[in-house]
Amino acid sequence: MSTRGEATSVATREKARIFVTGSCDGLDQLRDALERHAEIELVGTSIGVAESAAVLTGGHLEVILHGTRSSTLPADEIASIREHTRAPIILLASGEASVLLEEALDADVSDVLLLPQMTENVVFAVRKAGRSAFRPAPGTGAPTRRGRVVTVFSPKGGTGKTVTSTNLAAAFAKFEGKRTLLLDLDLQFGDAAIMLGLEPEKTIYDLVVAPGELDSEKLAGYTTRHPSGLDILPAPVRPEDAELVTETKLSRLLEVARESYDVIVVDTSPFFHGPMLATLDRTDELLLVCGLDVPTLKNVRLALQTLELLAFPQNRIRVVLNRANSKVGMKRSEVESALEVKVRFEVPSDRAVPIAVNRGNPAVLAESGADFSKAIRDMAKGLQPAEVAKSQKRGMFRRS
Ligand SMILES: Nc1ncnc2c1ncn2[C@@H]1O[C@H](COP(=O)(O)OP(=O)(O)OP(=O)(O)O)[C@@H](O)[C@H]1O
Ligand SMILES: [Mg+2]
């Protein structure tokens, strides 16, 4: 019985997504063995870190295995990985490495393994590093809250990203009772606060230029509460301030936000810029907003290809068809076959939306009976972890 139980748990366990960098004796053989291992997904490999920067940043990796030929701690090599990802690092070395082992005790690495090693030992270390990355540091008390990051993206402007993200965040806060943060990452021209009828005094710009380490308390000092219960961290007021919101600052911000909130809804601009890649790295659900028009469809298809190149997991992408009821000579089935991905959520075109936008009161609150509002509330329900798991079992997100 126990053998069967074990077999099932291995089969249903998600594969650990790893990336291999650097070089050392025995690394090639280990990488080949890991590539064939049932519990490992080898997302990619490169000797230098710079050449794989995009995947390291956007690839949602669980663990980085880094081979080093240095007999002391390779601080530069670790720092260059850290420029792109916070994923735990396991150092791999061969030969005489006692100094390296000693120095690694205090360094930002999860483990050091001397090659050759049995593949199972390495897989165990990968699993362990991946899990402990999300645990609180020893002695810090209660387990850390792990909020989910829901990113609303479309490669085309005006498709309804901000309408979707503001209403979805309001629905999470008001109807699902979730501690919700709405983060406006349309850094140059964000209008999430305006759509909520707010004029916040502080923005993400004020937060990132403020001195001192970011923690939950500090974050709370920069957010603004909406009557629905959601907190918003708006985009900078001046477009030129956007560039100060660096990937490193944003990565830290998202980590801290996950400790304070159940859900972080991220509104975005139609570009794959650095902050967007850093956000993808931490995104649990990517809502890809599409419309019933050929140019948007073409760009969403390109975005899906880019996401694949970035090794973003396909099972985290949910296509949202906005204005799905518009009579414009295109059907949902045509969208699905053009994208080769199923539509997960339909949102109807609704007069209540522009009226609500102009009044600065999300339609989901102002017109709760409208078809649009029902669709958004269903979306908020459908994005609860239990519902996501059910849908994935039914294979709803697989390519058609
Ligand atoms: N389902 C809908 N029904 C009716 N109107 C809609 C709907 N979705 C969006 N709109 C209208 O389209 C306009 C543009 O939407 P929105 O601002 O959300 O797009 P966006 O993708 O955020 O654009 P940008 O790329 O410029 O940030 C809104 O002002 C709203 O009036
Ligand atoms: Mg917008």
Side-chain angles (χ1 to χ4, degrees), residues 21 26 42 74 88 105 156 165 206 229 237 265 279 285 293 388:
T21 56
L42 180 62
L105 281 176
K156 193 97 170 79
S165 53
D206 302 294
V237 177
V265 179
T279 306
E285 318 277 347
D293 62 288
V388 170

mmCIF file of all heavy atoms in Angstrom, residues 21 26 42 74 88 105 156 165 206 229 237 265 279 285 293 388:
data_model
loop_
_atom_site.group_PDB
_atom_site.id
_atom_site.type_symbol
_atom_site.label_atom_id
_atom_site.label_comp_id
_atom_site.label_asym_id
_atom_site.label_seq_id
_atom_site.Cartn_x
_atom_site.Cartn_y
_atom_site.Cartn_z
ATOM 1 N N THR A 21 23.593 26.912 -13.808
ATOM 2 C CA THR A 21 24.575 27.872 -14.328
ATOM 3 C C THR A 21 25.978 27.436 -13.904
ATOM 4 O O THR A 21 26.139 26.546 -13.067
ATOM 5 C CB THR A 21 24.327 29.297 -13.769
ATOM 6 O OG1 THR A 21 24.343 29.218 -12.347
ATOM 7 C CG2 THR A 21 23.002 29.857 -14.225
ATOM 8 N N GLY A 26 32.049 17.237 -13.337
ATOM 9 C CA GLY A 26 30.904 16.393 -12.990
ATOM 10 C C GLY A 26 29.563 17.065 -13.213
ATOM 11 O O GLY A 26 28.514 16.432 -13.091
ATOM 12 N N LEU A 42 14.130 20.789 -15.932
ATOM 13 C CA LEU A 42 15.319 21.600 -16.203
ATOM 14 C C LEU A 42 14.916 22.674 -17.207
ATOM 15 O O LEU A 42 14.754 22.415 -18.394
ATOM 16 C CB LEU A 42 16.443 20.715 -16.759
ATOM 17 C CG LEU A 42 17.744 21.440 -17.087
ATOM 18 C CD1 LEU A 42 18.361 22.075 -15.862
ATOM 19 C CD2 LEU A 42 18.741 20.485 -17.740
ATOM 20 N N PRO A 74 32.457 31.922 -4.203
ATOM 21 C CA PRO A 74 32.445 32.760 -5.413
ATOM 22 C C PRO A 74 31.434 33.897 -5.268
ATOM 23 O O PRO A 74 30.360 33.885 -5.889
ATOM 24 C CB PRO A 74 32.044 31.779 -6.507
ATOM 25 C CG PRO A 74 31.202 30.756 -5.812
ATOM 26 C CD PRO A 74 31.643 30.699 -4.371
ATOM 27 N N PRO A 88 16.423 30.233 -4.421
ATOM 28 C CA PRO A 88 17.543 29.691 -3.642
ATOM 29 C C PRO A 88 18.648 29.145 -4.554
ATOM 30 O O PRO A 88 18.358 28.602 -5.612
ATOM 31 C CB PRO A 88 16.920 28.561 -2.831
ATOM 32 C CG PRO A 88 15.499 28.481 -3.203
ATOM 33 C CD PRO A 88 15.160 29.580 -4.147
ATOM 34 N N LEU A 105 28.646 28.916 4.849
ATOM 35 C CA LEU A 105 27.754 28.885 6.015
ATOM 36 C C LEU A 105 27.057 30.225 6.223
ATOM 37 O O LEU A 105 25.891 30.287 6.592
ATOM 38 C CB LEU A 105 28.564 28.545 7.278
ATOM 39 C CG LEU A 105 28.908 27.075 7.484
ATOM 40 C CD1 LEU A 105 29.793 26.932 8.707
ATOM 41 C CD2 LEU A 105 27.626 26.255 7.636
ATOM 42 N N LYS A 156 -1.542 44.760 -25.587
ATOM 43 C CA LYS A 156 -2.184 45.827 -26.364
ATOM 44 C C LYS A 156 -2.819 46.822 -25.391
ATOM 45 O O LYS A 156 -3.420 46.409 -24.395
ATOM 46 C CB LYS A 156 -3.267 45.167 -27.230
ATOM 47 C CG LYS A 156 -3.818 46.038 -28.310
ATOM 48 C CD LYS A 156 -3.120 45.762 -29.638
ATOM 49 C CE LYS A 156 -3.816 46.444 -30.785
ATOM 50 N NZ LYS A 156 -3.521 47.850 -30.905
ATOM 51 N N SER A 165 -8.397 44.807 -13.418
ATOM 52 C CA SER A 165 -7.640 44.695 -12.163
ATOM 53 C C SER A 165 -8.313 45.462 -11.018
ATOM 54 O O SER A 165 -8.348 44.961 -9.888
ATOM 55 C CB SER A 165 -6.181 45.132 -12.350
ATOM 56 O OG SER A 165 -6.118 46.402 -12.922
ATOM 57 N N ASP A 206 7.325 57.047 -3.915
ATOM 58 C CA ASP A 206 7.697 57.480 -2.559
ATOM 59 C C ASP A 206 8.234 56.313 -1.746
ATOM 60 O O ASP A 206 9.160 56.457 -0.960
ATOM 61 C CB ASP A 206 6.477 58.082 -1.851
ATOM 62 C CG ASP A 206 5.914 59.256 -2.633
ATOM 63 O OD1 ASP A 206 6.610 60.268 -2.746
ATOM 64 O OD2 ASP A 206 4.795 59.129 -3.179
ATOM 65 N N GLY A 229 -12.246 48.044 0.982
ATOM 66 C CA GLY A 229 -11.341 47.289 1.868
ATOM 67 C C GLY A 229 -9.991 47.025 1.229
ATOM 68 O O GLY A 229 -9.056 46.614 1.908
ATOM 69 N N VAL A 237 3.368 59.664 -9.772
ATOM 70 C CA VAL A 237 2.584 60.760 -10.347
ATOM 71 C C VAL A 237 3.228 61.236 -11.651
ATOM 72 O O VAL A 237 2.551 61.476 -12.639
ATOM 73 C CB VAL A 237 2.495 61.936 -9.332
ATOM 74 C CG1 VAL A 237 1.736 63.116 -9.931
ATOM 75 C CG2 VAL A 237 1.828 61.460 -8.044
ATOM 76 N N VAL A 265 -3.077 42.064 -6.558
ATOM 77 C CA VAL A 265 -3.496 42.189 -7.957
ATOM 78 C C VAL A 265 -2.599 43.255 -8.589
ATOM 79 O O VAL A 265 -2.472 44.358 -8.063
ATOM 80 C CB VAL A 265 -4.980 42.604 -8.070
ATOM 81 C CG1 VAL A 265 -5.380 42.761 -9.537
ATOM 82 C CG2 VAL A 265 -5.873 41.576 -7.379
ATOM 83 N N THR A 279 8.049 40.883 -11.960
ATOM 84 C CA THR A 279 6.720 40.517 -11.462
ATOM 85 C C THR A 279 6.334 39.118 -11.943
ATOM 86 O O THR A 279 5.794 38.317 -11.176
ATOM 87 C CB THR A 279 5.677 41.551 -11.950
ATOM 88 O OG1 THR A 279 6.129 42.843 -11.552
ATOM 89 C CG2 THR A 279 4.310 41.286 -11.357
ATOM 90 N N GLU A 285 -0.858 33.718 -10.911
ATOM 91 C CA GLU A 285 -1.888 33.651 -11.961
ATOM 92 C C GLU A 285 -1.646 34.834 -12.890
ATOM 93 O O GLU A 285 -1.640 35.975 -12.434
ATOM 94 C CB GLU A 285 -3.297 33.831 -11.370
ATOM 95 C CG GLU A 285 -3.558 33.110 -10.073
ATOM 96 C CD GLU A 285 -3.933 31.672 -10.307
ATOM 97 O OE1 GLU A 285 -4.219 31.321 -11.457
ATOM 98 O OE2 GLU A 285 -3.916 30.906 -9.337
ATOM 99 N N ASP A 293 -10.661 41.344 -31.491
ATOM 100 C CA ASP A 293 -10.200 42.055 -32.688
ATOM 101 C C ASP A 293 -8.844 41.491 -33.103
ATOM 102 O O ASP A 293 -8.043 41.052 -32.263
ATOM 103 C CB ASP A 293 -10.124 43.571 -32.457
ATOM 104 C CG ASP A 293 -9.139 43.944 -31.386
ATOM 105 O OD1 ASP A 293 -9.434 43.685 -30.194
ATOM 106 O OD2 ASP A 293 -8.072 44.444 -31.725
ATOM 107 N N VAL A 388 -8.765 26.852 -8.667
ATOM 108 C CA VAL A 388 -7.695 26.745 -9.669
ATOM 109 C C VAL A 388 -7.281 25.276 -9.802
ATOM 110 O O VAL A 388 -7.163 24.746 -10.899
ATOM 111 C CB VAL A 388 -6.478 27.618 -9.274
ATOM 112 C CG1 VAL A 388 -5.291 27.309 -10.173
ATOM 113 C CG2 VAL A 388 -6.837 29.087 -9.377
#
